[in-house]
Amino acid sequence: MSHNFQAVWKPTIFREYIGVKPYPDNLNNFPENIINPKISEFHFILGFATEDYDQEGKGTGYFKRTWNYEYFSPDKIRELKKKYCNVKVIISIGGRHTDSSEYPFNPAEKELWSDQAIDSLKEVIADYDGEKDECGCNNVIDGIEINYEEIKCTDTDFAHYIGKVIKELKNQVPSIKVVSIAPSDLVRPHYRRLYQEYHDYINWVDYQFYDQKVSSKVEFVNLFRELSNEYQGKLLAGFSTDPNDAGKISREVFLEGCSELIHRKLLPGIFVWDANDSAVPRSNEKPFLLEEKAQHLLTGSD
């Protein structure tokens, strides 16, 4: 099988999920100390905007934010952007499947779902609208991400109805400049179809490498190369500090694999799930150690 992925001459982006789980005492604001100013773009991904479900467990398309608005308010984002002009803030749409919560893509009425999703997400984004601030930061929210881990429809339907939401939000909301998707192994065909049909609207792909067993650096690098063939140089490597994801890919394998990909000029960036867990490491390590090491790799720092 040939690999026609594009070479990346210099990594440009680091992303950090935040607000996605219960908050430790020391995470009541954006952890600005983890922002490396040498990174061209540092994205905080706010999670999640989740939808309401009817009595049959089907999605209504009516989305609302679930993160702590006070902790991650528009004013706090403006202040952060004044200090760090490489920062962007993204809203993640969907939700992560857990033992106690399920957030499937399973629309009750498909055409109505798309229209309701567009309208309600515009309201979520509008809550963060603000005036132009210093350093040329024109907006508070810079983009959206699609992050459904459970999909109860065909790949064709998923691509059509999610694609419509992506296209209309990017066309109708001036601040939405960045769109990403977050595939995992179990729903890889659905996201592949979505990307094939709407690749012009999708900027980054946050593939959840930590959601499947990856035992060695070679296995990690080969999987990345295979996925890069599908996602045309937009693929980011992801690692999880969530204890629930432990044992699937080690930190050593991940960092060694990323180093190899950077050496081969194939890695545009890295993302980490999630700040809520990184703020309270489970061992005698300092908080956000993985984030620090990953950004050092991307910037070539010591």
Side-chain angles (χ1 to χ4, degrees), residues 25-278:
D25 292 338
N26 61 338
L27 191 67
N28 56 13
N29 199 342
F30 293 97
E32 62 180 78
N33 58 302
I34 73 172
I35 300 169
N36 188 322
K38 295 181 180 179
I39 291 285
S40 297
E41 292 188 24
F42 187 109
H43 293 189
F44 280 112
I45 304 178
L46 273 174
F48 285 100
T50 62
E51 62 179 305
D52 290 336
Y53 292 85
D54 63 20
Q55 293 181 343
E56 297 178 355
K58 292 184 177 292
T60 65
Y62 182 78
F63 285 85
K64 59 185 182 300
R65 63 176 182 267
T66 60
W67 59 86
N68 188 306
Y69 187 77
E70 180 182 354
Y71 289 177
F72 309 113
S73 68
D75 285 343
K76 287 187 175 181
I77 294 175
R78 293 187 191 100
E79 288 301 315
L80 186 68
K81 287 187 173 185
K82 287 178 182 178
K83 295 179 182 178
Y84 303 95
C85 286
N86 61 338
V87 166
K88 297 182 184 298
V89 177
I90 313 299
I91 290 177
S92 188
I93 299 164
R96 195 168 193 207
H97 180 87
T98 66
D99 292 338
S100 59
S101 302
E102 294 183 9
Y103 305 97
F105 180 79
N106 188 23
E109 299 179 54
K110 293 174 182 174
E111 292 295 344
L112 180 62
W113 185 92
S114 292
D115 293 338
Q116 182 64 54
I118 292 165
D119 290 341
S120 61
L121 287 167
K122 285 168 69 175
E123 291 179 5
V124 172
I125 296 165
D127 284 344
Y128 277 80
D129 279 351
E131 299 178 358
K132 182 176 180 178
D133 55 20
E134 297 176 10
C135 83
C137 301
N138 294 308
N139 44 274
V140 177
I141 299 300
D142 301 279
I144 58 169
E145 177 183 73
I146 304 301
N147 196 327
Y148 279 100
E149 296 189 350
E150 183 180 7
I151 301 172
K152 296 183 177 181
C153 70
T154 65
D155 58 347
T156 301
D157 279 353
F158 180 72
H160 175 72
Y161 295 107
I162 290 292
K164 180 179 178 181
V165 172
I166 289 173
K167 180 179 178 180
E168 293 306 316
L169 286 178
K170 205 165 190 181
N171 287 338
Q172 294 181 26
V173 183
S175 67
I176 301 303
K177 303 296 186 184
V178 180
V179 173
S180 57
I181 58 176
S184 60
D185 188 45
L186 291 177
V187 289
R188 186 170 164 184
H190 295 79
Y191 282 93
R192 182 191 301 121
R193 174 63 66 91
L194 174 63
Y195 183 81
Q196 288 171 345
E197 296 187 10
Y198 289 90
H199 58 86
D200 287 342
Y201 294 90
I202 296 170
N203 303 92
W204 299 109
V205 178
D206 294 334
Y207 186 83
Q208 300 178 37
F209 289 87
Y210 46 84
D211 202 39
Q212 64 193 91
K213 185 69 174 178
V214 182
S215 301
S216 68
K217 180 182 79 170
V218 171
E219 188 177 345
F220 174 73
V221 170
N222 287 342
L223 177 58
F224 187 95
R225 289 166 63 94
E226 177 186 333
L227 290 162
S228 292
N229 197 42
E230 297 177 9
Y231 293 117
Q232 303 172 320
K234 299 178 182 180
L235 179 68
L236 306 181
F239 187 82
S240 173
T241 57
D242 187 334
N244 293 325
D245 295 319
K248 296 176 182 176
I249 179 171
S250 71
R251 184 170 66 186
E252 291 71 27
V253 164
F254 178 77
L255 292 175
E256 289 174 4
C258 286
S259 180
E260 175 70 17
L261 291 168
I262 291 169
H263 178 72
R264 298 187 187 188
K265 298 181 172 61
L266 296 176
L267 184 66
I270 291 171
F271 71 94
V272 173
W273 174 283
D274 62 287
N276 298 57
D277 286 304
S278 295

